[in-house]
Amino acid sequence: MDKNSLAEGIHWVGVVDWNLRDFHDFTTRRGTTYNAYLIEDEKTVLVDTVKHMFSDELLCNIQKRVDLEKIDYIIVNHVEMDHSSSLPMVAKKAKNATIIASERGKDAIIEHYGADFKIQTVKTGDELKLGKRTLKFVEAPMLHWPDSMFTYIVEDKILMPNDAFGQHLASGQRFDDEVDEHVLMEEATIYYANILMALGPLIARKIQEVVQMGISPAIIAPSHGIIWRSNPSKIIKAYLDWSAGVSKNKIVIVYDTMWGSTDKMARSIAKGAISEGVEVKMVKLRASDNTEALTEILEAKAVLVGSPTINNGIFPTLGSFMTYVTGLKPKDKLWCFFGSFGWGGGAVRGMTEMAKKAGFKIHEPSLEIKFVPDHEDLKKCFELGKQIAAQVKA
Ligand code: FEO
């Protein structure tokens, strides 16, 4: 077996995107990979493809091992374009291949690339015999698209769950025992927080369903990043914890500032919370970003969000943050809003309305200061930090 092989006859043929730094507004500071896998048995199978600009590299990787016309099946676990946009080119060259997808995957393939494909649909529990090996399919709707599904190689106990259990981590190595485990878990955490956080209840149910089907993977081979082979239960446990909303006595303060007033407020709130012995993380947007904010929020119990008022409304970076975070719906957090204003307020009211609409639990009253906070104002901020910390500890 070579270094890109998961087992005899099962190979990684994906590509590494070393320089990607923005994945639809998710900051990917360590790049990513698009993982595709080739299974050689009596039948030859390609599982997933890669982003279209890497089509040629994917085709070369496959051709080093087999003639493209030998491919019998192309499994499309998920139609988002980072995994499927090479499909038209691959299908054109792999003339004898039948595409396998979920029912919704078939619809999505046609809606993306037209109807000129031979597609066979599968549902949960369906199997495909390849010779010595059997593929079993598990639909995974909303993990994270309606079309998503997992492919399991029964005899080798290899689960290919596409986006689930992935990380945006470019590396020359393929396996978890070959990379720094802290970097790996950090990227897995960032990925969960920014892609899957809203789907926690579905994730827990899907893991239970997979276990009940008798699927007990020895290897988890996701569509991004590193393959889990030394201890796949580690990432499964992390997903179960995150989906259950496991948290610690931690407060995150996400804010931005125009002339320094909201910054002063944030710093005093932080001091108040720290004086109560809770962990505090400050995330100043424009110095940092939404990706980092959501990662810090994942295991926090409370989030304070501070925005100055501009044009009677929310400061742009906080407007972006509120749109992002209300979509990802962090579980079981306490929220509180603060900020400075000049001639008229609006930011705190606007953020509070967005949070209420998303069903967030809100600490009130919020705290607004006119123009520049003085010593008395900063004492109020310090007290707010203490109050939130007391609720976190309770
Ligand atoms: Fe949902 Fe990696 O695409």
Side-chain angles (χ1 to χ4, degrees):
M1 288 208 310
D2 67 32
K3 74 183 287 297
N4 284 335
S5 297
L6 287 70
E8 203 63 54
I10 302 175
H11 317 286
W12 179 87
V13 288
V15 300
V16 182
D17 191 349
W18 295 96
N19 297 309
L20 187 81
R21 292 293 177 270
D22 181 335
F23 188 94
H24 56 51
D25 208 33
F26 171 157
T27 306
T28 49
R29 62 191 169 143
R30 292 190 174 107
T32 193
T33 73
Y34 312 107
N35 296 341
Y37 301 97
L38 186 73
I39 307 168
E40 293 180 276
D41 203 311
E42 287 169 31
K43 299 288 183 187
T44 303
V45 180
L46 176 66
V47 181
D48 291 319
T49 70
V50 302
K51 209 169 175 179
H52 62 91
M53 60 276 273
F54 299 105
S55 299
D56 289 341
E57 191 174 328
L58 169 69
L59 291 173
C60 281
N61 291 347
I62 298 168
Q63 281 173 298
K64 275 182 207 158
R65 296 185 182 276
V66 295
D67 193 349
L68 290 162
E69 294 191 4
K70 266 206 75 187
I71 297 175
D72 296 287
Y73 298 103
I74 303 170
I75 312 289
V76 177
N77 279 320
H78 172 39
V79 183
E80 193 162 8
M81 292 167 91
D82 50 333
H83 307 295
S84 75
S85 53
S86 291
L87 182 64
M89 187 185 276
V90 175
K92 200 168 159 190
K93 306 228 176 212
K95 293 190 182 87
N96 301 310
T98 299
I99 294 169
I100 307 276
S102 66
E103 193 63 51
R104 282 159 158 173
K106 178 182 176 181
D107 294 344
I109 291 168
I110 293 168
E111 282 154 4
H112 277 74
Y113 308 114
D116 198 17
F117 299 101
K118 188 166 40 160
I119 306 177
Q120 179 182 329
T121 61
V122 288
K123 50 189 188 319
T124 295
D126 284 355
E127 292 188 348
L128 182 66
K129 286 277 176 203
L130 305 182
K132 290 198 292 280
R133 296 184 180 83
T134 315
L135 299 185
K136 189 190 275 278
F137 303 100
V138 184
E139 292 164 281
M142 298 319 297
L143 291 177
H144 68 124
W145 273 19
D147 64 300
S148 298
M149 69 173 192
F150 300 168
T151 297
Y152 184 59
I153 307 170
V154 176
E155 292 76 9
D156 299 277
K157 296 187 160 213
I158 299 175
L159 182 66
M160 296 177 172
N162 197 264
D163 278 331
F165 307 114
Q167 339 85 43
H168 287 311
L169 177 54
S171 174
Q173 310 307 319
R174 302 275 66 86
F175 297 99
D176 54 354
D177 47 286
E178 299 172 328
V179 298
D180 183 311
E181 71 173 305
H182 298 292
V183 170
L184 176 59
M185 282 314 291
E186 184 183 13
E187 290 300 334
T189 307
I190 296 169
Y191 184 97
Y192 182 94
N194 285 276
I195 294 185
L196 298 167
M197 194 193 282
L199 309 170
L202 289 178
I203 289 166
R205 282 204 294 275
K206 186 54 60 181
I207 290 175
Q208 204 174 24
E209 181 191 330
V210 164
V211 170
Q212 281 165 358
M213 287 176 73
I215 291 176
S216 169
I219 297 178
I220 297 178
S223 59
H224 294 291
I226 300 300
I227 298 163
W228 307 89
R229 77 173 171 192
S230 72
N231 184 11
S233 58
K234 184 173 181 178
I235 190 64
I236 293 174
K237 182 181 180 312
Y239 267 51
L240 287 171
D241 286 348
W242 292 326
S243 65
V246 165
S247 58
K248 51 191 177 184
N249 287 352
K250 173 181 172 184
I251 292 174
V252 183
I253 303 173
V254 182
Y255 71 103
D256 211 331
T257 196
M258 282 174 73
W259 295 106
S261 293
T262 305
D263 185 62
K264 286 179 181 172
M265 293 178 75
R267 293 173 64 83
S268 287
I269 291 168
K271 282 181 195 163
I274 290 165
S275 75
E276 288 290 317
V278 304
E279 180 186 343
V280 172
K281 280 282 177 186
M282 301 272 276
V283 181
K284 182 183 168 187
L285 299 175
R286 284 190 297 167
S288 185
D289 58 24
N290 289 336
T291 306
E292 184 175 342
L294 266 291
T295 306
E296 292 295 348
I297 287 168
L298 178 62
E299 294 185 359
K301 285 192 179 157
V303 188
L304 286 115
V305 188
S307 173
T309 290
I310 185 167
N311 301 325
N312 299 319
I314 306 168
F315 197 71
T317 49
L318 271 304
S320 161
F321 168 76
M322 288 303 298
T323 301
Y324 193 57
V325 78
T326 50
L328 284 165
K329 292 186 176 40
K331 193 175 160 74
D332 300 334
K333 316 290 178 199
L334 177 65
W335 295 80
C336 182
F337 298 94
F338 68 94
S340 75
F341 65 98
W343 303 108
V348 166
R349 186 173 61 247
M351 293 191 297
T352 305
E353 280 168 8
M354 289 177 81
K356 281 187 177 164
K357 204 169 156 193
F360 288 3
K361 183 179 165 196
I362 299 170
H363 169 96
E364 289 187 295
S366 48
L367 182 58
E368 290 181 278
I369 302 289
K370 189 162 187 190
F371 285 120
V372 179
D374 62 15
H375 182 66
E376 288 307 309
D377 293 328
L378 292 178
K379 270 167 60 183
K380 287 182 201 161
C381 294
F382 186 89
E383 286 307 316
L384 177 63
K386 283 185 71 162
Q387 278 175 32
I388 300 291
Q391 291 186 59
V392 160
K393 289 196 292 185

